[in-house]
């Protein structure tokens, strides 16, 4: 006796998935997709960091212990750190440690990588956050002022000068700008110390060296977007109503450049986090960047991998936060682009 199953009422799997997706609100669907991209990106970063570091020629243990270290000590250290195991087995141990919150042990210092990062990365985040605040606070008035001058038609020379100055700041690399700041404000004028971290005076030059290029780039974006907004119909209507200039700018013009400013600002913040590596090296700041440079010099695999993961996670998290903010500010455009 055979039995038959009526499948006419059972929706195919793709159809079920489509129905479930249609039931999910657009904002939640956008957030889920963004978080999924974050997870996939982190997996790629973990694998890339592990294999790329292991592809670098040379023995990290020998580089740390020195060329005169006995071979027995080198072999014992390699066995202690698990570097004598096959690469795939090292990868398995590394992934297991990551799932348990263990980033490994530094070959150079013998300290846990997580402890080193926990003690140094807050300084890096502080530097990046201060640089971002300075960049935004400087870019908004400069960009808006340049747009107003360009639209007035009476300040072509001033507008050209502002655009040229911003272009120079954008073109000059951070390390060249930082060296120039040290030469002028530390060596020549003796206003600020050339290196160090902790006091208010130590913060000024590193933050300026990190933020001036980003500020100039963001100011140009604000200028272009503001000119577009000032040429729009609703601004002409607001002017026809004889609203004060301050009201037109703050209530009507400024909110309409938020989307573009946030998008570029998020990218700049990610770049500032990565740019701290150079700034910390120039100004001898005891942050994660200094530790990363030292780890690369000594081929300290666990420290390099840990630092790369933390930097990558920070950048990806910043991008995710910016996307979620944009979802709140301009949900239709953000969801359509996502």
């Amino acid at each position: 006796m055979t039995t038959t199953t009526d499948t006419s009422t059972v929706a195919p799997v793709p159809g079920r998935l489509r129905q479930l997706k249609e039931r999910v609100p657009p904002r939640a669907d956008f957030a889920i997709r963004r978080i999924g991209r974050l997870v996939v990106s982190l997996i790629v970063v973990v694998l890339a960091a592990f294999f790329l570091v292991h592809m670098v020629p040379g023995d990290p243990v020998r580089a740390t212990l020195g060329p005169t270290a006995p071979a027995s000590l080198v072999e014992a250290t390699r066995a202690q750190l698990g570097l004598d195991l096959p690469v795939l087995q090292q990868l398995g141990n590394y992934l297991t440690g990551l799932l348990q919150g263990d980033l490994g042990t530094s070959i150079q210092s013998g300290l846990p990588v997580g402890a080193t990062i926990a003690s140094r990365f807050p300084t890096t985040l502080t530097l990046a956050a201060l640089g971002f605040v300075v960049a935004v606070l400087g870019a908004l008035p400069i960009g808006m002022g340049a747009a107003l001058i360009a639209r007035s038609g009476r300040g072509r020379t001033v507008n050209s000068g502002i655009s040229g100055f911003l272009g120079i700041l954008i073109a000059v690399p951070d390390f060249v700008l930082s060296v120039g700041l040290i030469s002028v404000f530390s060596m020549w004028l003796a206003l600020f110390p050339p290196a160090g971290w902790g006091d208010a005076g130590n913060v000024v030059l590193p933050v300026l060296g990190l933020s001036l290029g980003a500020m100039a780039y963001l100011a140009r974006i604000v200028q272009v977007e503001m000119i577009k907004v000032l040429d729009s119909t609703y601004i002409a209507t607001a002017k026809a109503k004889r609203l004060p200039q301050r009201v037109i700018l703050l209530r009507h013009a400024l909110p309409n450049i938020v989307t573009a400013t946030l998008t570029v600002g998020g990218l700049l913040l990610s770049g500032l986090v990565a740019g701290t590596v150079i700034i910390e090296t120039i100004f001898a700041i005891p942050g994660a960047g200094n530790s990363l440079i030292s780890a690369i010099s000594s081929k300290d695999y666990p420290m390099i991998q840990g630092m790369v993961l933390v930097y990558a996670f920070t950048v990806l998290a910043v991008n995710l936060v910016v996307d979620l903010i944009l979802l709140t500010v301009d949900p239709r455009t953000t969801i359509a682009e996502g």
Side-chain angles (χ1 to χ4, degrees):
M1 179 178 180
T2 60
T3 59
T4 60
T5 303
D6 185 10
T7 60
S8 59
T9 59
V10 180
V13 174
R16 290 183 181 180
L17 294 178
R18 192 178 302 109
Q19 292 176 2
L20 290 175
K21 186 175 181 179
E22 291 175 354
R23 294 176 184 176
V24 177
R27 293 190 178 189
D29 179 63
F30 178 85
I32 291 172
R33 284 186 284 120
R34 280 292 187 264
I35 294 174
R37 292 182 188 180
L38 173 65
V39 173
V40 172
S41 299
L42 281 177
I43 293 174
V44 173
V45 169
V46 169
L47 296 177
F50 180 85
F51 285 108
L52 288 177
V53 167
H54 280 73
M55 289 171 62
V56 176
D59 186 352
V61 177
R62 173 62 70 182
T64 301
L65 298 179
T68 60
S72 58
L73 177 60
V74 173
E75 292 300 324
T77 304
R78 294 183 79 251
Q80 181 182 359
L81 296 172
L83 297 177
D84 60 334
L85 301 174
V87 174
L88 291 181
Q89 189 172 348
Q90 292 185 45
L91 175 61
N93 294 338
Y94 180 63
L95 295 177
T96 302
L98 283 182
L99 294 176
Q100 297 174 352
D102 182 13
L103 295 176
T105 303
S106 170
I107 301 176
Q108 188 177 21
S109 65
L111 299 175
V113 173
T116 303
I117 294 176
S119 64
R120 288 181 171 260
F121 205 69
T123 300
T124 298
L125 289 179
T126 301
L127 177 59
L130 290 175
F132 181 71
V133 170
V134 171
V136 172
L137 293 181
L140 288 177
I142 293 174
M144 294 175 66
L148 292 175
I149 293 173
R151 289 290 293 114
S152 66
R154 296 190 300 269
R156 288 188 175 182
T157 303
V158 177
N159 184 60
S160 299
I162 294 175
S163 298
F165 179 69
L166 294 178
I168 292 173
L169 289 180
I170 294 172
V172 175
D174 290 345
F175 67 90
V176 175
L177 185 60
S178 298
V179 172
L181 291 173
I182 293 174
S183 300
V184 174
F185 293 100
S186 295
M187 303 304 177
W188 183 28
L189 299 177
L191 294 177
F192 303 105
W197 185 261
D199 297 331
N202 296 116
V203 175
V204 176
L205 294 186
V207 170
L208 288 179
L210 180 66
S211 64
L212 286 180
M215 180 190 69
Y217 184 79
L218 185 58
R220 291 296 296 270
I221 299 297
V222 172
Q223 179 186 9
V224 172
E225 292 298 322
M226 181 60 70
I227 290 176
K228 292 180 181 178
V229 170
L230 293 176
D231 289 336
S232 60
T233 304
Y234 58 87
I235 294 296
T237 303
K239 291 180 179 179
K241 294 180 179 180
R242 296 185 178 181
L243 294 177
Q245 182 81 349
R246 175 176 55 83
V247 175
I248 293 176
L249 291 177
L250 297 181
R251 292 187 181 181
H252 298 280
L254 185 59
N256 287 280
I257 66 171
V258 168
T259 300
T261 304
L262 276 176
T263 302
V264 177
L267 296 175
L268 289 179
L269 180 55
S270 301
L272 291 176
V273 172
T276 55
V277 175
I278 297 175
I279 299 299
E280 288 176 9
T281 304
I282 293 174
F283 291 96
I285 298 174
N290 254 331
S291 297
L292 178 59
I293 295 297
S294 176
I296 293 174
S297 301
S298 61
K299 297 183 176 65
D300 191 345
Y301 290 171
M303 184 63 70
I304 295 174
Q305 291 166 350
M307 288 293 181
V308 169
L309 287 181
V310 172
Y311 272 101
F313 176 78
T314 303
V315 171
L316 292 172
V318 167
N319 292 332
L320 176 63
V321 171
V322 171
D323 286 339
L324 295 180
I325 293 175
L326 288 173
L327 180 63
T328 303
V329 174
D330 192 3
R332 289 180 298 179
T333 303
T334 305
I335 292 174
E337 293 177 353

